Amino acid sequence: QVQLQESGPGLVKPSQTLSLTCTVSGGSISSGGYYWSWIRQHPGKGLEWIGYIYYSGSTYYNPSLKSRVTISVDTSKNQFSLKLSSVTAADTAVYYCARDWPFGCVDVWGQGTTVTVSS
Amino acid sequence: DIQMTQSPSSVSASVGDRVTITCRASQGISSWLAWYQQKPGKAPKLLIYAASSLQSGVPSRFSGSGSGTDFTLTISSLQPEDFATYYCQQANSFPRTFGPGTKVDIK
């Protein structure tokens, strides 16, 4: 079955850009029918949806983060990526990549990766 | 954005108890609602989609109901592995938004 795995630095300095990649295995991003999403969870808090990308490259970002977020896709590597610029301590969170299926919810999650913003 | 609220924020229950969690949307979302279970240090797990459809592999003691703005998740007979935090999520529009969670712990 489809599995997702996040990768990237666990520590980012304030004002820098957070970069994460999600590798998809057991299925192809190019097959269509799904949105490929990023979701984060602040320590001890609830879930915040960051945005999605479709295999075609179309994106939608949470307006609360839109000015700082870029999500891209590399279908040749079966990966999609998140960039979040100008980070602050408030961006410290567990970041999940996820598959958003046609019922509008996430049926496959990555295991999550903790990103800490600190100098 | 559609705001999601949940009640209660936490509930203490015993094995075998029936547990009901409520989720409310700030505007009508038809049946576009999902429920997730999350255990500490783990990613959320999809339990219910489209308000009342049970995700494959999820035990039948979990059920969902509701439409419009008011929804419920019911665990008919709580099992030890069910102690966790439960989140609702609206799937009606972007940005997707989640409820704040309901923690189910041991009485």
Side-chain angles (χ1 to χ4, degrees):
Chain A
Q1 72 275 23
V2 173
Q3 293 184 311
L4 308 179
Q5 178 67 59
E6 305 90 350
S7 59
L11 180 65
V12 181
K13 289 182 166 49
S15 80
Q16 293 191 342
T17 296
L18 177 161
S19 296
L20 297 173
T21 295
C22 183
T23 299
V24 179
S25 59
S28 173
I29 287 179
S30 299
S31 62
Y34 301 97
Y35 297 114
W36 302 93
S37 300
W38 289 96
I39 295 165
R40 69 181 183 179
Q41 186 167 33
H42 294 102
K45 302 295 185 182
L47 298 154
E48 180 181 28
W49 184 83
I50 298 171
Y52 77 73
I53 191 163
Y54 197 56
Y55 79 96
S56 61
S58 63
T59 56
Y60 184 94
Y61 303 138
N62 192 323
S64 67
L65 297 167
K66 185 177 182 179
S67 63
R68 299 194 291 130
V69 171
T70 302
I71 299 176
S72 58
V73 65
D74 186 337
T75 54
S76 67
K77 294 182 178 179
N78 220 26
Q79 295 175 332
F80 61 105
S81 298
L82 169 71
K83 291 188 184 300
L84 182 65
S85 64
S86 305
V87 297
T88 69
D91 295 308
T92 293
V94 176
Y95 286 77
Y96 295 100
C97 59
R99 187 178 80 169
D100 188 319
W101 70 324
F103 288 98
C105 52
V106 174
D107 67 332
V108 181
W109 296 75
Q111 66 183 27
T113 187
T114 299
V115 178
T116 301
V117 179
S118 175
S119 56
Chain B
D1 299 4
I2 297 175
Q3 306 304 314
M4 307 300 293
T5 57
Q6 286 182 235
S7 61
S9 57
S10 65
V11 57
S12 294
S14 301
V15 172
D17 284 354
R18 181 182 182 90
V19 174
T20 299
I21 299 168
T22 297
C23 176
R24 176 166 289 175
S26 61
Q27 63 190 72
I29 58 171
S30 185
S31 295
W32 293 100
L33 186 99
W35 289 97
Y36 301 90
Q37 176 193 68
Q38 187 179 34
K39 296 182 179 179
K42 300 294 187 182
K45 172 187 173 183
L46 179 64
L47 301 176
I48 301 285
Y49 63 93
S52 61
S53 296
L54 194 68
Q55 173 68 340
S56 176
V58 174
S60 59
R61 62 181 179 273
F62 291 93
S63 64
S65 65
S67 67
T69 60
D70 295 318
F71 302 86
T72 59
L73 173 71
T74 298
I75 310 171
S76 61
S77 178
L78 199 65
Q79 297 302 300
E81 60 269 30
D82 300 337
F83 292 98
T85 299
Y86 294 84
Y87 294 95
C88 61
Q89 176 235 313
Q90 63 83 13
N92 182 74
S93 62
F94 290 102
R96 308 289 197 219
T97 47
F98 295 85
T102 295
K103 185 175 182 180
V104 178
D105 59 22
I106 302 171
K107 181 184 286 184

